[in-house]
């Protein structure tokens, strides 16, 4: 039985230890054959078990792929549904906003019911309201606030104006009035000048307002503009003491005080520096205080 192969030969050797030679010759072929058959069957069964394991692994992989594919499809479907709901919500919101905007624009639902004016001192409130020309029943959204502000700013005593909507139904107007800094006499009356050299009123001045004395007073006159710039740059404590602003030229401007003293200011150059030194200088004894060169002040 030597030709039976390595496995069968090993089986014969193991049986020889248990049997004598005669019995071995009679029984070995049968035992070897059975052992050989058993070995081959075992090999077949082992081979079959490996194939089945491989098949099970492949099936498990296919099932995993199917599960992953199903999960991916479900995720895509969920995302699509959520995205669709978001788009629908946005579209509905957009339509509602447009509808509300149209209602607010074309109907008097949010029309003006109150007008509040602040910053007035000498300008009558009714004059401001007349200039505003607030349309009755017009939607707040359709108000031309720029045009309204321009009309108010066009009033002689108004320097600037601001008009704001305050929803749902109020308009607020902030007025910056022109304040006089000097006046000059003219055949038609007393003209008030503001810090921009604008003649904004013809009316009696307040007792504390300084008088401008120059050859050709007027808002467009260069000497007048220089004199107004000087008095506007002077510190408040000095302005209340000035009785006259005597302007002979754009570089020769003097401030005559109510107590008889005179401040020679010069021109508009270095006005900030002059304003800083003038009050300490006025503490000295003297009648004429020349600060036209603020780094070289003289007192007489």
């Amino acid at each position: 039985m030597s030709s039976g192969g390595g496995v069968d030969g090993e089986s014969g050797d193991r049986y020889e230890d248990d049997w004598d030679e005669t019995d071995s010759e009679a029984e070995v072929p049968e035992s070897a054959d059975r052992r050989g058959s058993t070995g081959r069957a075992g090999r077949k069964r082992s081979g079959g078990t490996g194939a089945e394991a491989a098949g099970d692994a492949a099936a498990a992989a296919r099932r995993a792929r199917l599960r992953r594919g199903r999960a991916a499809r479900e995720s895509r479907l969920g995302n699509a549904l959520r995205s669709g709901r978001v788009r629908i919500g946005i579209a509905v919101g957009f339509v509602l906003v447009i509808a509300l905007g149209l209602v607010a624009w074309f109907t008097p639902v949010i029309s003006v019911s109150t007008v509040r004016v602040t910053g007035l001192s000498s300008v009558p409130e009714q004059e401001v309201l007349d200039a505003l020309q607030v349309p009755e029943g017009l939607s707040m959204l359709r108000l031309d606030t720029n045009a309204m502000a321009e009309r108010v700013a066009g009033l002689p005593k108004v320097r600037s104006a601001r008009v704001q909507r305050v929803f749902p139904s109020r308009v607020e107007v902030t007025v910056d009035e022109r304040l006089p800094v000097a006046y000059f006499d003219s055949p038609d009356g007393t003209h008030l000048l503001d810090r921009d050299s604008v003649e904004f009123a013809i009316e009696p001045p307040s007792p504390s307002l300084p008088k401008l004395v120059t050859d050709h007073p007027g808002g467009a006159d260069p000497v007048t503009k220089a004199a107004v710039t000087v008095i506007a740059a002077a510190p408040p404590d000095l302005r209340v003491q000035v009785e006259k602003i005597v302007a002979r030229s754009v570089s020769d401007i003097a401030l005559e005080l109510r107590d008889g003293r005179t401040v020679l200011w010069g021109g508009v150059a270095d006005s900030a520096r002059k304003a800083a030194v003038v009050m300490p200088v006025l503490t000295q004894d003297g009648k004429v205080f020349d600060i036209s060169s603020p780094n070289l002040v003289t007192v007489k």
Side-chain angles (χ1 to χ4, degrees):
M1 296 296 294
S2 61
S3 61
V7 175
D8 292 339
E10 290 175 359
S11 299
D13 290 341
R14 288 195 296 270
Y15 276 104
E16 286 178 357
D17 294 337
D18 300 328
W19 301 87
D20 59 14
E21 186 177 353
T22 304
D23 291 338
S24 175
E25 288 179 358
E27 297 295 330
V28 165
E30 183 179 356
S31 299
D33 185 63
R34 285 199 303 269
R35 298 289 290 181
S37 298
T38 302
R40 285 189 293 271
R43 286 196 301 271
K44 289 179 182 179
R45 284 195 298 272
S46 298
T49 301
E52 288 175 2
D56 291 343
R62 285 195 299 271
R63 287 193 297 272
R65 285 196 299 271
L66 290 174
R67 284 195 297 271
R68 288 195 296 270
R70 185 165 57 251
R73 288 193 298 272
E74 290 174 354
S75 177
R76 287 195 296 270
L77 179 59
N79 290 337
L81 290 174
R82 284 191 294 272
S83 179
R85 286 194 295 268
V86 170
R87 286 195 293 269
I88 292 172
I90 291 173
V92 171
F94 185 69
V95 170
L96 288 175
V97 169
I98 291 177
L100 292 174
L102 292 174
V103 170
W105 183 269
F106 290 107
T107 67
V109 173
I110 54 171
S111 60
V112 180
S113 63
T114 307
V115 178
R116 181 169 176 256
V117 183
T118 59
L120 296 181
S121 176
S122 61
V123 179
E125 183 175 344
Q126 188 58 49
E127 190 174 346
V128 174
L129 296 176
D130 292 342
L132 281 173
Q133 301 175 17
V134 179
E136 185 177 353
L138 186 69
S139 169
M140 289 273 288
L141 297 176
R142 300 176 66 183
L143 292 178
D144 189 344
T145 54
N146 289 331
M148 295 167 72
E150 287 177 1
R151 289 194 295 270
V152 175
L155 297 174
K157 291 186 177 183
V158 175
R159 188 168 183 263
S160 65
R162 183 182 183 186
V163 178
Q164 295 174 287
R165 302 181 187 89
V166 180
F167 290 97
S169 59
R170 188 169 81 244
V171 170
E172 289 202 356
V173 184
T174 305
V175 176
D176 180 17
E177 291 187 343
R178 294 189 183 278
L179 300 176
V181 295
Y183 74 92
F184 66 87
D185 289 328
S186 177
D188 60 348
T190 300
H191 290 236
L192 304 183
L193 293 162
D194 74 350
R195 64 186 303 116
D196 299 320
S197 192
V198 174
E199 302 173 48
F200 65 91
I202 300 176
E203 60 185 41
S206 67
S208 61
L209 199 65
K211 179 180 180 179
L212 173 63
V213 179
T214 187
D215 292 338
H216 306 286
D221 174 48
V223 179
T224 298
K225 290 182 177 181
V228 167
T229 300
V230 167
I231 193 62
D237 290 344
L238 176 61
R239 284 202 300 267
V240 298
Q241 300 182 51
V242 178
E243 184 177 20
K244 292 181 181 179
I245 310 167
V246 180
R248 298 180 180 85
S249 69
V250 294
S251 59
D252 186 2
I253 299 170
L255 306 179
E256 294 185 359
L257 307 186
R258 301 182 191 277
D259 60 7
R261 294 181 296 174
T262 300
V263 176
L264 302 180
W265 194 279
V268 297
D270 295 327
S271 284
R273 175 64 178 156
K274 295 172 184 178
V277 303
V278 65
M279 296 309 294
V281 168
L282 286 173
T283 60
Q284 303 179 32
D285 293 334
K287 288 291 185 179
V288 178
F289 302 83
D290 188 350
I291 62 169
S292 57
S293 178
N295 294 324
L296 185 61
V297 176
T298 61
V299 179
K300 297 179 182 178

